Structure formats: structure tokens, C-alpha cells
Amino acid sequence: MTPERPVSRALAFAALAFAAFVLVSPVVADLVPTAAVVARLGNDYLLVAAFAAFALAATVAVLLARAATGVAEATPPAVEGVAPASMGREVDAALDALPPLRTTAEHGRVHGRLRRAAVSAVAERDRCSRSAARERVERGEWTDDADAAAFLATATLEDPPLKRKLGTLLAGDHWFRRRVRTAVAALQSLEGDRT
């Protein structure tokens, strides 16, 4: 807020208060020599027209001043952002936290959950029992993706050779994460088959 604004506001409120007192108090109204001005102008309407012309000129002056100096606006505070939710962000973070060369129990848990998901998806898609679906998963008959089928074919996580682990690591990937992505993509294609 510029320092001129409080002054102009104070003057405007003072003029408004004075006008209100003129309307309600004959003593204050006598302080304004309207009779002499009307007599000089010759008509009441000319007095009103003079006030209207003054108000119009003041409005134009304010608008020109604003156009020349611009309008000062307060800058609103920055809105705090929330990272948009993404599907599988927690899974990705958990996979990133796994050690790249050593197979842990967490690797086994992720593998087991994917295998159970594959069995459930196959049972639902083929409308068969869970044991029949499990057999299809073990035989690799649930997907056309050979890597995904091999990854979930056994109940225990088979550790690939160290050479393969190092190869994927040098390629900038993680062997387990790659296999999980392959299996998830195969499961998603099962979802697509059901719809």
C-alpha cells in the first residue's frame, strides 16, 4: 500500500462524514454557503452539475493516476504443493531399497505376493480352482511372456547367476526389479484379457 492511499482515504471519509452532517444537521448545513452559490449560479441544477463535474474529474484523475503508476497488488503466498500420487510409487521405492546382488527375504516376499496375484488372476480369468490355476502358473501356461512365466513358476525365488546380476547392474538396471516389472506387465495383460 502506498502512503498516498491512507491520506486519500482519510480525505474521502472526512468529506463523506461532512456531507452526512450537512444532511442531518441544520447547524452544519448553515456552514455551507449554498444559498449564495445558488444565487450566483442562478439555478439549483447548476450547483448539482458542478458537483457532478467535480466528481467526474476526480474519477478520471484517479483512473489516469492508476494507469500511470499501476495497481499495487499483494503477492499471495505460494501454495504448498503435494506430489501427485502415482501408482506403484511405494513398490518402486521398496524395490529400489533392495540390495542389487544379494537376495534377501524381502525379495522372496515380493516374489510370493506376485505369484499369489498370478494364481488369483488366472483362477479368475479361467474360472478355475486355485489349485488348477497354481498348476498353470507353475507350467508357465498363464502368459506368453517367457521371462514372467519363468519368474513365477516356482514357489521359491530362484537366484540368477552372479554373472547375470552383474550384467543387469552394469546395464543400469536391477535384476529383480526387471523381473518384477516383467511379471507385473504380464499380470496387467491378464487384467486386459478379462475386460
Side-chain angles (χ1 to χ4, degrees), residues 1 14 19 68 81 131-132 147-148:
M1 181 180 294
S131 61
D147 290 334

Side-chain angles (χ1 to χ4, degrees), residues 132-186:
R134 186 176 301 108
E135 289 175 7
R136 291 177 189 171
V137 169
E138 289 173 355
R139 290 194 301 264
E141 297 173 352
W142 64 283
T143 180
D144 294 334
D145 190 322
D147 290 334
F151 181 56
L152 300 181
T154 59
T156 56
L157 177 61
E158 292 184 5
D159 209 14
L162 183 60
K163 180 180 174 183
R164 186 171 178 189
K165 289 181 182 179
L166 286 173
T168 54
L169 188 63
L170 291 174
D173 202 356
H174 187 283
W175 69 273
F176 187 74
R177 192 170 44 229
R178 177 184 286 181
R179 298 184 89 180
V180 166
R181 278 196 309 262
T182 303
V184 168

Side-chain angles (χ1 to χ4, degrees), residues 2-159:
T2 58
E4 297 88 26
R5 287 190 183 174
V7 173
S8 62
R9 282 187 188 158
L11 289 174
F13 283 121
L16 184 63
F18 182 73
F21 281 123
V22 167
L23 289 176
V24 297
S25 172
V27 176
V28 177
D30 289 341
L31 295 175
V32 180
T34 54
V37 174
V38 169
R40 186 170 205 137
L41 292 174
N43 193 334
D44 293 352
Y45 296 112
L46 290 178
L47 179 61
V48 173
F51 276 112
F54 175 76
L56 183 63
T59 303
V60 169
V62 169
L63 291 176
L64 289 176
R66 291 283 172 93
T69 60
V71 177
E73 297 177 352
T75 303
V79 178
E80 293 182 18
V82 177
S86 67
M87 296 282 292
R89 186 172 44 187
E90 294 178 10
V91 174
D92 289 340
L95 292 176
D96 288 342
L98 294 174
L101 297 178
R102 181 173 51 87
T103 304
T104 64
E106 189 62 31
H107 287 89
R109 279 192 285 275
V110 171
H111 175 265
R113 289 184 68 184
L114 283 173
R115 184 175 157 83
R116 286 191 296 277
V119 169
S120 296
V122 169
E124 188 173 335
R125 181 194 65 182
D126 297 347
R127 300 184 189 278
C128 63
S129 66
R130 291 186 65 80
S131 61
R134 186 176 301 108
E135 289 175 7
R136 291 177 189 171
V137 169
E138 289 173 355
R139 290 194 301 264
E141 297 173 352
W142 64 283
T143 180
D144 294 334
D145 190 322
D147 290 334
F151 181 56
L152 300 181
T154 59
T156 56
L157 177 61
E158 292 184 5
D159 209 14

